[in-house]
C-alpha cells in the first residue's frame, strides 16, 4: 500500500512541488497549511511521515513537532523538518522533540525522496 | 548463583517496561544481580529511573547488586543530569 | 512534473503575500504593529524566498533573503518600524513585484533599483548591529539579560513527559547550548510501594545556570513540556524567593531530597522572612512556563471551506444559466400562448428554480469591493507625498459585494476619482489653515447597497466645486452657450465634459490627458451613473451608482412598429398612455406630469424606425440620477428577465444602446441605454435649437454633432 505523507507548509507552491515530487514516486500526499491544520488531519488517519516547514502561521513547525510527539499514535512517526539555511537556532530548539531529519530548502528532489524512503521503510 | 543481565545497546522508554519486568523477576529470585552495561549506546531518563529503582529495591532486600562496565553513553548521561545516586553506584561498580 | 503549473501557483501565492505585506506596511504606519503582523511580514519574504529557490531564481532568492534579514530584525524588536524602514520595505515589495511580473510575462528579470535597495538594507542592518536593543520600545519592559546572568532553575517535569515522547535530558542538552550549567542535581522520588511505572517520570532537576539569556528565553525552552510540569526559574539574586517556591513542592521525600541538594550547594534559604521583591522578579518567578500547550487553541478541524475555481469556468456556467433563463422564458411564453394550465404551472415552478439557480450562480461571482479598495492606501500615500499634502484615507463598506467583472472595471475610474480628490479637491495645508480646517485632509471611500444597486462614494473635505469657475470655463470652452441657465447638478456635471479641468494649475498628476469624462464613460458602460454633491469650502462627494451585476438584467419590454426594445427595469418609474390629440409641437416634446414638466423622446423618431405611429401610444417614464424623461413607444409588453449579450464591434459606437438580447421567440431585442437617452434630451434642451434634428445616432468620435443616418442602426432589431 502506498505510504501516506503529510506535507505541512504555508506556501502552496512549495506544497505543490513537493506533492508532485512525492506522488511521482508513488506516495500519497496530504496537505496542510499550518501546524494546526496538520494536527486536525493527523487525527484518526494513518500517516507514515510528516514533512513540515518551520516558519508557519498559527502553529509553527516546532510547535507541531512537539504536539505530534504527545500523540500516542504518532510518538514514533518520522518527522522531517524543511528549513532554510538559517535554521540552526531552530534545530537546537527542536532538539528535545527529536525531528527525524532536516532538509534545507530549496531541496533536491532525489535527496528528499531518499530521506523519505529511508525513514518510511 | 548470580543473575547476570546484559543490557542491549538501546535503553529508552521503548524498552523500559520489558526491562523493568525482567529486573523485577530477577529481584524475586533473591540472588545477587549483575548488570552488564558495556553495550549500552543510548539511554534516556526512563531507563535511568529503572536503574535507580533497582538500586533502591536491592538495598531494601539486601541483595548485592553490581553495575558493571558502564559505557561512555551511560557515564555521560549520568553526569549530564547530576544523578548522584547512580553515579555512586556506578563508581562502586567500577571499583569492585 | 508540471513545472508550468507549479510556477503559476508560485506567482499567485507570491502576489497574495505581497499584497498582504503592503497592506500591513501601510496599516502599521498609523497603528501599532502586532506580533502577528510582524510574523506575517517576515513570512511574506521568507516564503517567496523558499519557493523562488525551487525554481532556481537565484537573484530573487538573494534579494528576498536580505529583505527577510531586515524583517527578522524588525520582528526581534531590534529595528523600529519608522517611516524610513517602512519606505525601504515598500521598495522591496515593489521590486519583488516587478520581478515577478516580468517572470509572469516571460521577460528577463529587470535589474531595477535592486542594488540600491540592497544597499539601503545593508545600511539599516549595520545601524541595528551598532545599536543593539537601543530601539526597543520602552513599553516592552522585558527584563533584559545582561551578558551572562545567573539563573536558578527547579524543573519538575510532569509525570507523563516520558510517555509523551520527551526526554528531560534533551532539554538539559539544549540548555547547555545557551550557556553554562554550573551545577545540576537530580532527585528521583519513587513510590514506596510496588506502584512503580516504568513509563512515568519521577525525576526532578535542580540547576544553577549562567548564560546571556532572558527569563523568557529560558521559559520558552520548557514551554512544550509544561503539561503537568512546573518550572520555577529565577535570577540568582532572587534566591530566597526561588527556594520559597521550589522547596515546598512535592511530597516529604521530594522536599527533603531537594533541600539536601541546595544545602549541598551552600545555597540555603536565608533566615530572614520573605525578601521584598521587585515586581518584575515576581513575574520572572512565575511557575509554569508561558506559552504552554494548554494555552494554544484546541486543534479543531480547519479543512478549508473554500474551493478555488477557475474564473472562466464560472463565466461559462453563468453563460449557460443565462441561456437557461432565456429558454425558460421561451417555454413560459409558449405555455401562455397554449393556455394549458398544468403546463403553465410546471413552467412557473421551473421559472422559480431557474431564478434560484441564477441568483446562486451570480452570488458566486460576487466579491467584496475591498479587493479594489485595498490599493488606495498606497495610492493616497504616494500621491499625497508627491503633492506635499497630508491625507488620511477612511474606507468604509469594504465588505460590500458586487460582480467580479465589475470590480475589475471599477479600479480605473475609482483611481481617477481618488487622485482627483487629492489633487483638485484637498487644498494645500496653508489654504486649509486659513479656512480654519485641520492640516490633514480626508478622503473617504464608502460603499453600500441601496435598492438593488451598489453605491460607491469618493468624498473629500477639500474646497468643493467652484460653480462660477466651472461655468466660466464651460462658456470659455464653448461647452455651453453663454446664456444657458443650469441647475446646480447640471453645472457639476459639466466637469465630466470632455477636456474639462478646473484646477488653475495643471499638476503633474492631472496632466495626463485623461479627464473626468473618461470616468463617466467608464461608469456608464457599466450601466451606472455618477452624481456629484458639493458644498463650496466643505468638500465634494462623487457618488457612483452601479447595478449589482452586468450579466443579466430585469428589463421592460416595449415595441415600436415591428422592433422590440428592452428598457432596464431599474430605470423605469411608471408607464402611462400618451394622451391623444397632442398636435402642437411643444406638446409633442414634453408632458405635464403632476405639475412637473417631463421631456418626451419619441423613440420612433430617435431611431428613425419605418412605419407610422399607431393611434394609441404609451409613455415609459424613466429616470437616471435625478433626471426623468418619458420614452414614447407603441406597445408595452411588461417585465422580462434577460441576459445581456455585448454588441458586436460593428455596433459598439451606437449611442443609447447598451447591449442586445435574444427573445424567447428568437428575435433580437436591443437594450436601451437610459442615461445616454436622458443625456441626449438634456443636451437638446440646453441647446434650445436642434429640436428637429433629433433623428439618429452619431458617428463615433463626433458625439456632439447630430447627423442623420438611415443605415446605421436597425437591421438587428428585426
Amino acid at each position: 500500500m502506498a505510504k501516506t505523507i503529510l506535507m505541512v507548509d504555508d506556501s502552496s507552491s512549495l506544497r505543490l512541488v513537493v506533492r508532485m515530487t512525492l506522488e511521482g514516486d508513488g506516495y500519497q500526499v496530504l496537505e496542510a497549511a499550518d501546524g494546526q491544520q496538520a494536527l486536525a488531519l493527523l487525527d484518526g488517519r494513518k500517516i507514515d511521515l510528516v514533512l513540515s516547514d518551520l516558519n508557519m502561521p498559527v502553529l509553527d513547525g516546532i510547535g507541531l513537532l512537539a504536539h505530534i510527539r504527545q500523540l500516542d499514535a504518532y510518538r514514533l512517526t518520522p518527522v522531517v523538518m524543511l528549513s532554510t539555511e538559517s535554521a540552526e537556532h531552530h534545530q537546537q530548539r527542536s532538539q528535545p522533540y527529536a525531528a527525524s531529519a532536516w532538509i534545507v530548502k530549496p531541496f533536491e528532489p532525489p535527496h528528499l525522496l531518499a530521506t523519505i524512503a529511508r525513514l518510511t521503510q | 548463583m548470580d543473575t547476570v543481565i546484559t543490557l542491549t545497546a538501546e535503553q529508552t522508554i521503548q524498552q523500559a517496561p520489558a526491562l523493568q519486568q525482567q529486573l523485577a523477576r530477577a529481584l524475586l529470585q533473591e540472588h545477587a544481580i549483575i548488570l552488564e552495561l558495556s553495550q549500552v549506546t543510548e539511554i534516556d531518563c526512563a531507563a535511568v529511573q529503572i536503574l535507580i529503582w533497582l538500586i533502591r529495591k536491592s538495598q531494601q532486600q539486601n541483595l548485592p547488586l553490581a553495575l558493571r562496565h558502564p559505557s561512555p553513553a551511560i557515564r555521560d548521561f549520568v553526569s549530564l543530569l547530576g544523578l548522584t545516586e547512580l553515579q555512586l553506584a556506578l563508581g562502586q561498580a567500577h571499583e569492585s | 512534473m508540471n513545472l508550468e503549473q507549479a510556477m503559476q501557483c508560485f506567482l499567485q501565492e507570491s502576489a497574495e503575500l505581497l499584497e498582504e505585506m503592503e497592506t500591513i506596511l501601510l496599516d502599521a504606519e498609523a497603528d501599532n504593529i502586532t506580533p502577528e503582523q510582524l510574523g506575517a511580514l517576515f513570512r511574506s519574504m521568507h516564503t517567496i524566498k523558499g519557493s523562488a529557490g525551487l525554481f532556481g531564481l537565484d537573484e530573487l532568492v538573494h534579494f528576498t533573503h536580505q529583505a527577510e534579514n531586515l524583517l527578522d530584525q524588525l520582528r526581534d524588536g531590534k529595528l523600529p518600524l519608522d517611516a524610513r524602514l517602512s519606505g525601504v520595505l515598500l521598495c522591496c515589495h515593489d521590486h519583488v513585484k516587478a520581478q515577478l511580473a516580468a517572470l509572469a510575462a516571460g521577460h528577463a528579470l529587470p535589474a531595477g533599483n535592486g542594488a540600491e535597495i540592497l544597499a539601503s538594507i545593508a545600511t539599516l542592518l549595520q545601524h541595528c548591529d551598532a545599536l543593539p536593543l537601543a530601539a526597543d520600545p520602552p513599553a516592552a519592559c522585558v527584563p533584559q539579560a545582561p551578558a551572562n546572568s545567573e539563573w536558578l532553575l527547579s524543573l519538575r517535569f510532569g509525570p507523563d513527559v516520558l510517555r509523551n515522547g520527551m526526554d528531560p535530558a534533551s532539554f538539559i542538552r539544549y540548555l547547555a547550548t545557551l550557556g553554562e550549567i554550573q551545577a545540576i542535581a537530580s532527585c528521583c522520588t519513587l513510590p514506596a510501594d510496588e506502584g512503580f511505572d516504568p513509563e512515568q517520570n519521577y525525576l526532578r532537576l535542580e540547576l544553577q545556570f549562567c548564560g546571556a539569556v532572558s527569563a523568557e528565553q529560558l521559559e520558552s525552552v520548557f514551554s512544550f513540556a509544561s503539561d503537568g510540569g512546573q518550572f520555577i526559574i529565577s535570577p540568582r539574586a532572587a534566591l530566597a524567593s526561588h527556594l520559597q517556591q521550589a522547596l515546598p513542592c512535592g511530597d516529604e521525600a521530594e522536599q527533603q531530597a531537594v533541600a539536601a541538594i541546595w544545602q549541598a550547594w551552600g545555597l540555603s534559604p536565608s533566615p530572614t522572612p520573605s525578601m521584598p521583591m521587585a515586581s518584575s522578579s515576581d513575574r520572572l518567578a512565575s511557575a509554569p512556563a508561558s506559552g504552554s500547550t494548554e494555552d494554544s487553541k484546541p486543534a479543531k478541524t480547519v479543512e478549508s471551506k473554500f474551493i478555488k475555481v477557475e474564473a472562466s469556468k464560472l463565466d461559462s456556467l453563468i453563460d449557460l444559466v443565462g441561456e437557461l433563463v432565456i429558454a425558460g422564458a421561451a417555454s413560459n411564453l409558449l405555455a401562455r400562448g397554449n393556455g394549458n394550465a398544468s403546463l403553465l404551472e410546471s413552467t412557473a415552478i421551473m421559472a422559480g428554480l431557474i431564478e434560484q439557480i441564477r441568483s446562486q450562480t451570480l452570488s458566486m461571482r460576487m466579491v467584496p469591493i475591498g479587493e479594489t479598495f485595498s490599493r488606495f492606501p498606497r495610492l493616497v500615500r504616494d500621491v499625497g507625498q508627491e503633492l506635499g499634502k497630508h491625507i488620511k484615507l477612511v474606507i468604509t463598506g469594504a465588505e460590500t459585494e458586487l460582480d467580479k467583472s465589475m470590480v475589475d472595471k471599477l479600479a480605473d475610474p475609482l483611481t481617477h476619482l481618488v487622485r482627483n480628490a487629492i489633487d483638485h479637491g484637498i487644498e494645500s495645508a496653508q489654504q486649509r489653515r486659513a479656512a480654519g480646517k485641520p492640516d490633514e485632509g480626508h478622503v473617504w471611500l464608502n460603499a453600500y447597497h441601496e435598492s438593488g444597486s451598489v453605491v460607491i462614494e469618493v468624498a473629500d473635505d477639500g474646497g468643493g466645486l467652484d460653480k462660477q469657475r466651472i461655468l466660466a470655463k464651460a462658456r470659455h470652452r464653448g461647452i455651453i452657450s453663454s446664456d444657458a441657465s443650469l441647475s446646480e447638478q447640471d453645472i457639476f456635471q459639466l466637469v465630466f465634459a470632455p477636456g474639462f479641468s478646473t484646477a488653475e494649475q495643471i499638476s503633474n498628476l492631472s496632466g495626463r490627458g485623461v479627464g473626468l469624462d473618461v470616468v463617466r464613460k467608464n461608469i456608464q458602460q457599466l450601466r451606472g451613473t455618477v452624481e456629484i454633491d458639493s458644498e463650496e469650502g466643505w468638500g465634494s462627494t462623487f457618488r457612483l451608482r452601479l447595478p449589482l451585476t452586468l450579466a443579466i438584467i430585469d428589463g421592460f419590454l416595449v415595441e415600436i412598429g415591428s422592433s422590440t426594445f428592452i428598457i432596464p427595469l431599474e430605470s423605469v418609474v411608471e408607464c402611462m398612455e400618451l394622451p391623444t390629440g397632442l398636435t402642437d409641437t411643444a406638446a409633442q416634446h414634453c408632458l405635464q406630469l403632476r405639475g412637473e414638466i417631463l421631456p418626451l423622446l419619441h423613440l420612433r423618431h430617435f431611431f428613425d424606425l419605418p412605419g407610422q405611429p399607431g393611434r394609441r401610444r404609451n409613455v415609459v417614464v424613466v429616470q437616471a440620477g435625478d433626471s426623468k424623461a418619458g420614452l414614447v413607444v407603441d406597445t408595452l409588453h411588461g417585465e422580462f428577465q434577460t441576459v445581456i449579450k455585448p454588441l458586436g464591434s460593428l455596433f459598439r459606437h451606437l449611442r443609447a444602446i447598451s447591449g442586445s438580447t435574444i427573445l424567447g421567440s428568437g428575435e433580437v431585442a436591443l437594450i436601451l441605454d437610459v442615461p445616454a437617452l436622458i443625456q441626449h434630451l438634456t443636451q437638446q434642451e440646453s441647446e434650445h435649437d436642434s429640436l428637429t434634428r433629433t433623428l439618429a445616432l452619431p458617428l463615433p468620435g463626433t458625439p456632439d454633432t447630430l447627423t442623420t443616418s438611415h443605415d446605421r442602426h436597425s437591421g438587428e432589431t428585426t
Side-chain angles (χ1 to χ4, degrees):
Chain A
M1 219 189 78
K3 302 267 193 212
T4 306
I5 313 285
L6 174 60
M7 169 69 205
V8 194
D9 198 309
D10 54 334
S11 159
S12 52
S13 62
L14 198 111
R15 289 203 305 271
L16 181 67
V17 172
V18 169
R19 169 192 279 276
M20 293 192 298
T21 307
L22 294 181
E23 285 182 347
D25 247 34
Y27 293 97
Q28 204 187 334
V29 181
L30 291 174
E31 293 181 30
D34 62 53
Q36 201 153 98
Q37 282 189 15
L39 287 174
L41 282 173
L42 282 170
D43 201 17
R45 279 196 180 77
K46 187 187 173 296
I47 283 170
D48 298 288
L49 182 139
V50 179
L51 188 61
S52 175
D53 182 27
L54 212 52
N55 199 313
M56 296 181 289
V58 191
L59 179 64
D60 71 2
I62 293 183
L64 171 63
L65 181 58
H67 275 87
I68 288 178
R69 291 294 177 237
Q70 291 182 28
L71 299 171
D72 278 344
Y74 291 103
R75 218 198 296 165
L76 303 171
T77 303
V79 177
V80 177
M81 305 301 291
L82 269 175
S83 72
T84 47
E85 72 287 349
S86 57
E88 249 172 73
H89 165 71
H90 297 289
Q91 291 202 22
Q92 287 177 357
R93 186 157 78 89
S94 75
Q95 210 175 30
Y97 316 107
S100 313
W102 287 81
I103 290 180
V104 173
K105 291 190 221 176
F107 62 87
E108 292 295 326
H111 177 211
L112 177 72
L113 289 170
T115 307
I116 287 179
R118 176 168 62 78
L119 289 169
T120 53
Q121 264 172 7
Chain B
M1 211 178 74
D2 296 349
T3 310
V4 180
I5 296 173
T6 304
L7 298 194
T8 51
E10 199 173 320
Q11 291 302 326
T12 65
I13 184 143
Q14 289 171 62
Q15 293 78 26
L19 174 65
Q20 195 248 346
Q21 275 172 23
Q22 190 183 13
L23 296 176
R25 278 197 300 273
L27 284 167
L28 286 178
Q29 292 178 357
E30 310 230 327
H31 293 303
I33 299 174
I34 298 169
L35 222 47
E36 173 59 45
L37 300 175
S38 59
Q39 292 177 30
V40 176
T41 55
E42 194 184 345
I43 190 163
D44 69 359
C45 284
V48 153
Q49 281 187 155
I50 294 174
L51 295 184
I52 294 172
W53 169 79
L54 180 65
I55 292 165
R56 294 189 192 169
K57 277 284 174 189
S58 61
Q59 279 167 359
Q60 274 170 26
Q61 294 181 22
N62 259 327
L63 283 181
L65 169 70
L67 302 178
R68 264 208 322 237
H69 311 124
S71 65
I74 294 183
R75 288 201 173 277
D76 289 351
F77 193 87
V78 164
S79 72
L80 174 74
L81 291 195
L83 292 157
T84 326
E85 192 176 355
L86 193 53
Q87 213 153 22
L88 287 173
L90 291 175
Q92 284 163 7
H94 193 62
E95 284 153 22
S96 65
Chain C
M1 131 172 6
N2 186 345
L3 256 177
E4 184 55 32
Q5 192 190 349
M7 178 62 97
Q8 283 308 322
C9 183
F10 165 62
L11 290 172
Q12 162 91 26
E13 165 187 274
S14 304
E16 283 165 15
L17 287 166
L18 286 172
E19 197 177 319
E20 189 184 8
M21 177 182 184
E22 189 180 38
T23 309
I24 294 175
L25 284 173
L26 293 170
D27 230 33
E29 274 191 335
D31 304 303
N32 284 332
I33 193 158
T34 65
E36 288 75 28
Q37 289 178 317
L38 286 172
L41 274 182
F42 175 79
R43 269 196 309 280
S44 61
M45 285 293 126
H46 177 80
T47 302
I48 292 175
K49 181 186 81 170
S51 302
L54 291 178
F55 299 100
L57 305 167
D58 293 340
E59 274 171 46
L60 195 56
V61 171
H62 176 67
F63 184 86
T64 46
H65 180 66
Q66 296 305 319
E68 180 192 356
N69 279 343
L70 199 56
L71 288 164
D72 196 27
Q73 299 295 322
L74 172 66
R75 190 175 55 170
D76 290 353
K78 291 180 186 153
L79 278 175
L81 186 61
D82 53 16
R84 185 166 162 220
L85 179 56
S86 103
V88 170
L89 288 173
L90 281 170
C91 288
C92 290
H93 163 275
D94 294 349
H95 182 69
V96 173
K97 195 170 173 174
Q99 297 245 309
L100 290 172
L103 194 66
H107 300 150
L109 297 194
N113 52 352
E116 272 168 55
I117 300 171
L118 286 177
S120 321
I121 293 178
T123 318
L124 280 167
L125 285 175
Q126 258 171 15
H127 183 70
C128 91
D129 282 344
L131 293 168
L133 295 172
D136 253 357
C141 50
V142 181
Q144 283 165 16
N148 283 339
S149 49
E150 291 185 309
W151 301 90
L152 305 174
L153 294 87
S154 290
L155 310 176
R156 302 181 74 226
F157 288 91
D160 292 329
V161 62
L162 303 174
R163 251 190 283 274
N164 289 341
M166 286 179 266
D167 186 2
S170 309
F171 292 90
I172 304 304
R173 283 196 195 99
Y174 174 46
L175 203 59
T177 65
L178 297 178
E180 186 197 349
I181 296 172
Q182 297 169 312
I184 181 167
S186 306
C187 69
C188 187
T189 315
L190 296 176
D193 52 12
E194 294 305 305
F196 177 73
D197 174 352
E199 292 190 322
Q200 184 172 330
N201 174 53
Y202 301 101
L203 286 173
R204 166 174 175 176
L205 302 172
E206 308 296 309
L207 283 92
Q208 294 179 59
F209 177 80
C210 176
V213 289
S214 66
E216 275 173 349
Q217 266 173 292
L218 284 177
E219 281 171 1
S220 75
V221 172
F222 304 103
S223 60
F224 290 116
S226 61
D227 242 4
Q230 188 182 5
F231 303 96
I232 305 166
I233 299 170
S234 320
R236 174 71 172 76
L239 170 70
S241 144
H242 184 85
L243 293 182
Q244 245 176 17
Q245 288 180 74
L247 292 184
C249 295
D251 60 17
E252 208 180 321
E254 181 179 332
Q255 288 181 18
Q256 279 177 6
V258 172
I261 290 171
W262 291 93
Q263 231 157 22
W265 286 344
L267 300 172
S268 299
S270 67
T272 49
S274 66
M275 232 165 85
M277 298 299 305
S279 61
S280 66
S281 39
D282 276 349
R283 205 196 59 74
L284 286 181
S286 62
S290 60
S292 73
T293 45
E294 282 139 332
D295 287 349
S296 57
K297 288 172 211 136
K300 53 177 188 243
T301 312
V302 282
E303 281 171 70
S304 171
K305 293 187 184 100
F306 294 98
I307 309 173
K308 275 193 183 171
V309 180
E310 231 174 276
S312 64
K313 282 190 185 169
L314 204 51
D315 286 346
S316 64
L317 177 64
I318 285 174
D319 266 4
L320 280 174
V321 172
E323 301 296 336
L324 188 62
V325 169
I326 294 174
S331 50
N332 193 267
L333 277 175
L334 276 177
R336 259 189 234 172
N338 176 294
N340 182 329
S342 52
L343 182 60
L344 259 175
E345 195 184 333
S346 98
T347 54
I349 293 172
M350 210 153 74
L353 289 172
I354 291 173
E355 167 58 25
Q356 281 179 36
I357 294 175
R358 182 193 79 108
S359 60
Q360 290 279 318
T361 317
L362 288 178
S363 75
M364 283 186 218
R365 258 216 325 214
M366 299 300 262
V367 293
I369 186 137
E371 214 175 280
T372 308
F373 281 0
S374 64
R375 72 163 66 185
F376 290 109
R378 178 74 186 269
L379 179 90
V380 169
R381 177 184 186 273
D382 290 354
V383 175
Q385 267 179 9
E386 200 172 325
L387 296 173
K389 292 179 184 174
H390 197 45
I391 314 272
K392 188 178 162 83
L393 176 70
V394 183
I395 292 178
T396 48
E399 71 288 346
T400 309
E401 291 190 329
L402 76 171
D403 195 285
K404 172 92 175 88
S405 55
M406 191 124 54
V407 164
D408 298 339
K409 288 174 186 149
L410 269 175
D412 280 351
L414 281 178
T415 305
H416 203 99
L417 288 177
V418 170
R419 274 182 187 282
N420 187 66
I422 302 171
D423 197 2
H424 302 309
I426 308 274
E427 320 89 323
S428 69
Q430 295 92 315
Q431 281 172 310
R432 290 183 67 87
R433 231 171 288 161
K437 293 199 239 180
D439 284 9
E440 188 181 54
H442 287 76
V443 173
W444 288 273
L445 267 176
N446 184 22
Y448 54 93
H449 282 161
E450 193 180 82
S451 58
S453 343
V454 182
V455 179
I456 304 169
E457 294 175 336
V458 180
D460 63 70
D461 64 351
L465 296 181
D466 184 338
K467 275 178 274 186
Q468 294 316 316
R469 197 180 296 168
I470 292 173
L471 277 174
K473 185 156 273 173
R475 288 195 185 107
H476 177 69
R477 299 260 161 108
I479 296 170
I480 52 168
S481 58
S482 55
D483 56 347
S485 75
L486 299 174
S487 71
E488 187 180 69
Q489 190 57 229
D490 291 339
I491 298 173
F492 291 157
Q493 291 288 333
L494 288 173
V495 302
F496 293 121
F500 197 96
S501 167
T502 55
E504 298 280 82
Q505 292 175 313
I506 300 280
S507 73
N508 183 15
L509 291 163
S510 56
R512 300 189 179 193
V514 185
L516 283 174
D517 56 319
V518 177
V519 171
R520 187 169 64 175
K521 216 165 105 199
N522 286 342
I523 297 303
Q524 284 176 347
Q525 273 166 5
L526 297 172
R527 304 209 321 272
T529 58
V530 192
E531 293 160 30
I532 302 177
D533 277 350
S534 180
E535 198 169 340
E536 227 168 305
W538 294 105
S540 315
T541 301
F542 286 72
R543 190 172 297 113
L544 315 183
R545 206 176 285 275
L546 295 152
L548 285 173
T549 176
L550 296 175
I552 298 183
I553 58 165
D554 289 315
F556 193 83
L557 210 58
V558 298
E559 206 173 274
I560 302 143
S562 58
S563 310
T564 314
F565 293 89
I566 289 168
I567 305 169
L569 199 61
E570 67 223 15
S571 51
V572 174
V573 182
E574 59 182 312
C575 303
M576 67 185 74
E577 209 172 311
L578 183 72
T580 46
L582 294 175
T583 43
D584 63 290
T585 324
Q588 285 276 346
H589 294 285
C590 56
L591 194 68
Q592 190 97 9
L593 180 68
R594 289 186 287 272
E596 268 183 83
I597 300 290
L598 185 72
L600 291 181
L601 184 67
H602 294 261
L603 290 181
R604 184 183 293 275
H605 280 297
F606 185 79
F607 289 118
D608 194 29
L609 298 171
Q612 282 302 308
R615 230 168 52 78
R616 296 170 72 91
R617 281 177 289 165
N618 290 284
V619 178
V620 182
V621 182
V622 293
Q623 179 167 23
D626 287 336
S627 319
K628 281 186 191 172
L631 304 179
V632 180
V633 302
D634 290 355
T635 324
L636 303 176
H637 282 306
E639 291 179 28
F640 186 81
Q641 192 173 70
T642 190
V643 183
I644 299 181
K645 302 253 172 206
L647 288 172
S649 55
L650 202 61
F651 303 103
R652 276 274 154 72
H653 61 273
L654 293 187
R655 195 165 59 159
I657 298 291
S658 61
S660 70
T661 189
I662 298 164
L663 301 176
S665 60
E667 277 179 71
V668 172
L670 294 179
I671 301 167
L672 296 179
D673 181 351
V674 171
L677 287 173
I678 289 183
Q679 198 196 339
H680 169 80
L681 271 177
T682 324
Q683 251 174 33
Q684 210 178 35
E685 269 177 25
S686 66
E687 285 163 13
H688 289 297
D689 55 349
S690 55
L691 291 180
T692 53
R693 292 195 285 130
T694 58
L695 293 175
L697 306 160
L699 285 162
T702 56
D704 296 319
T705 326
L706 295 169
T707 51
T708 311
S709 160
H710 289 278
D711 52 3
R712 185 152 287 110
H713 52 79
S714 48
E716 284 299 297
T717 63
T718 51

